[in-house]
């Protein structure tokens, strides 16, 4: 078990090593591309190589929402339809379905929900920086 709300399975498509970190690119069963920046030590510990199955974890507080694709530095952008919004006094949990049965949860402010005019059934984009994507081994 892990506390990160967003948990996906993928296949490593590329491992690009730098001096200290690596960019690991994965693809989910639904064809979504995910980029993760992790330490070289983690790449070695997890034995990440092309073709290996891996798990992707992202905390809901690390997922930003937009109402259209943006040209920004965040590599991970997934379009979908909002399935649920749980409103709180300050924050909301927005659940975006990016493919049949695959939901990305985002914790954002109620002010952002209103400013973006987010509602159940509307289209939105979940955005995650690659440094916020954690990887793990498949069991």
């Amino acid at each position: 078990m892990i506390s990160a709300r967003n948990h996906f399975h993928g296949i490593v498509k590329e491992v690009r090593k730098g001096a200290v970190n690596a960019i690991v690119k994965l693809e989910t069963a639904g064809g979504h591309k995910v980029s993760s920046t992790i330490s070289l030590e983690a790449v070695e510990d997890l034995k990440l190589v092309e073709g290996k199955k891996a798990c992707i974890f992202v905390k809901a507080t690390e997922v930003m929402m937009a109402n259209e694709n943006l040209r920004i530095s965040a590599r991970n952008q997934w379009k979908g339809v909002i399935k649920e919004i749980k409103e709180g006094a300050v924050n909301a949990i927005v659940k975006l379905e990016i493919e049949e049965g695959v939901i990305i949860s985002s914790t954002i402010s109620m002010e952002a929900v209103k400013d973006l005019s987010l509602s159940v059934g509307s289209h939105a984009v979940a955005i995650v920086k690659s440094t916020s994507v954690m990887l793990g081994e498949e069991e």
Side-chain angles (χ1 to χ4, degrees):
M1 257 338 211
I2 190 163
S3 65
R5 289 182 190 266
N6 302 299
H7 174 218
F8 310 99
H9 300 278
I11 301 289
V12 175
K13 293 295 181 180
E14 179 184 352
V15 178
R16 196 170 347 136
K17 295 180 180 180
V20 190
N21 291 328
I23 296 174
V24 181
K25 296 190 177 190
L26 298 97
E27 187 173 324
T28 67
H32 288 82
K33 309 286 192 261
V34 180
S35 185
S36 176
T37 301
I38 60 174
S39 69
L40 286 176
E41 186 176 348
V43 169
E44 299 302 321
D45 289 348
L46 295 170
K47 299 174 179 60
L48 295 174
V49 294
E50 284 184 34
K52 181 170 181 170
K53 292 180 181 179
C55 294
I56 301 152
F57 304 96
V58 181
K59 290 178 61 172
T61 53
E62 297 297 320
V63 179
M64 297 171 276
M65 297 297 284
N67 47 15
E68 61 182 70
N69 271 9
L70 305 172
R71 293 189 53 82
I72 58 176
S73 63
R75 298 293 82 194
N76 302 304
Q77 296 189 34
W78 301 287
K79 292 181 183 180
V81 175
I82 296 174
K83 292 297 183 180
E84 182 180 352
I85 299 176
K86 290 183 180 176
E87 296 185 4
V90 177
N91 291 325
I93 297 173
V94 179
K95 294 188 177 188
L96 184 76
E97 185 174 51
I98 60 170
E99 63 184 74
E100 182 70 32
V102 178
I103 302 285
I104 293 182
S105 294
S106 174
T107 301
I108 61 175
S109 70
M110 285 301 302
E111 183 177 359
V113 170
K114 289 179 173 78
D115 287 349
L116 294 170
S117 300
L118 300 179
S119 62
V120 172
S122 66
H123 291 267
V125 180
I127 302 163
V128 179
K129 289 183 64 167
S130 64
T131 52
S132 295
V133 177
M134 296 172 277
L135 300 178
E137 290 183 286
E138 287 261 345
E139 290 190 15

